C-alpha cells in the first residue's frame, strides 16, 4: 500500500465477504478518511470440497482497482464508474495516466 500511496497509515479490519471465513480488509488513511483497498479471506471449506474435492485450502483476495483509479484520477464518487454519462467517460483515454476528473453538473 505504501508503494502505491506513499507514507500512509494502514490497518487490517475484520470484514464480511461471501464465501470466505475469516475475512479481513486492508484500509489506508488517505485524504482524511479510511479507504478500503484490499479484501481477502480463507475460502469456505464446503465450497472447496464441492468443487475440488476434499483436502484443498485456498485464499481469496481482491484489489479495489476502482479505489486506486479514484485516487490516481481524483474521482470523487465510486458510482461514476458504473455511469454511462459521456461527460465522465470522455474525460479519460487509454494510456493517459495524467488525466484528472473535471466536475460537471448533474
Amino acid at each position: 500500500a505504501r508503494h502505491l500511496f506513499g507514507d500512509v497509515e494502514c490497518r487490517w479490519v475484520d470484514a464480511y465477504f461471501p464465501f470466505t471465513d475469516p475475512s479481513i480488509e486492508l484500509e489506508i488513511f488517505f485524504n482524511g478518511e479510511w479507504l478500503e483497498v484490499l479484501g481477502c479471506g480463507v475460502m469456505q471449506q464446503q465450497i472447496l470440497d464441492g468443487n475440488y474435492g476434499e483436502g484443498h485450502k485456498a485464499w481469496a483476495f481482491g484489489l479495489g482497482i476502482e479505489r486506486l483509479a479514484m485516487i490516481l484520477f481524483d474521482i470523487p464518487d465510486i458510482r461514476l464508474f458504473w455511469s454511462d454519462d459521456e461527460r465522465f467517460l470522455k474525460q479519460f483515454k487509454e494510456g493517459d495516466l495524467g488525466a484528472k476528473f473535471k466536475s460537471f453538473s448533474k
Side-chain angles (χ1 to χ4, degrees), residues 17 19 41 45 89:
F17 299 109
F19 315 116
Q45 194 61 51
L89 298 174

Side-chain angles (χ1 to χ4, degrees), residues 8-80:
V8 294
E9 187 178 352
C10 300
R11 69 181 182 186
W12 290 99
V13 296
D14 288 333
Y16 168 79
F17 299 109
F19 315 116
T20 63
D21 186 31
S23 303
I24 56 175
E25 61 188 25
L26 176 64
E27 295 180 341
I28 63 166
F29 195 70
F30 190 82
N31 287 341
E33 64 183 16
W34 287 102
L35 181 67
E36 175 192 342
V37 294
L38 173 85
C40 61
V42 177
M43 291 291 299
Q44 293 176 357
Q45 194 61 51
Q46 69 269 23
I47 295 171
L48 294 171
D49 291 348
N51 288 285
Y52 301 106
E54 293 185 14
H56 291 86
K57 306 288 184 207
W59 277 86
F61 67 94
L63 182 66
I65 195 76
E66 295 92 350
R67 308 278 183 167
L68 301 177
M70 289 175 71
I71 292 167
L72 181 63
F73 300 115
D74 293 335
I75 297 168
D77 189 334
I78 199 166
R79 294 172 292 186
L80 288 167

